[in-house]
Amino acid sequence: VDVVHTWINLGFGLVYLLEAILKMSAYGFGPYIRDGWNCFDFLLVLLSIVSMSTTIAAQATSGSVAGAALESGFSPSIFRMLRIFRVMRVLKLIR
């Protein structure tokens, strides 16, 4: 289950990263960052990259995400919780 979750997380993280890159190339970096929602999305993408990096590094050193989180005292799931806000944004746009 950890491996499947990690790959799904990586896939969605890459999709959001691609979205941010495409938006930056379309709008330009300055106008992209001036919009509050784009700035928020970019922050979440950066946090996702940090989360994915720590997860991959943890798996490489201990063989499992859960074992690495227990050994280091750090859980990358803290960053994952912030993605809830991105979902909330989408729901707000649907209204």
Side-chain angles (χ1 to χ4, degrees):
V1 175
D2 269 346
V3 174
V4 173
H5 184 262
T6 300
W7 281 105
I8 291 172
N9 189 31
L10 181 63
F12 278 107
L14 291 175
V15 167
Y16 291 134
L17 177 62
L18 179 64
E19 176 195 17
I21 290 170
L22 289 174
K23 278 186 166 181
M24 276 189 249
S25 65
Y27 298 134
F29 186 74
Y32 174 80
I33 291 296
R34 279 188 214 111
D35 180 32
W37 284 113
N38 285 339
C39 190
F40 178 70
D41 285 345
F42 187 67
L43 175 70
L44 289 180
V45 166
L46 289 178
L47 290 174
S48 294
I49 291 170
V50 170
S51 174
M52 287 185 282
S53 300
T54 56
T55 300
I56 291 169
Q59 280 183 319
T61 57
S62 76
S64 77
V65 177
L70 290 174
E71 289 173 12
S72 68
F74 173 77
S75 175
S77 63
I78 294 167
F79 294 120
R80 290 184 200 125
M81 289 177 16
L82 293 174
R83 287 191 213 139
I84 293 171
F85 293 113
R86 185 173 180 100
V87 173
M88 289 172 52
R89 176 185 174 216
V90 171
L91 293 175
K92 180 182 176 190
L93 291 174
I94 291 173
R95 284 176 153 194

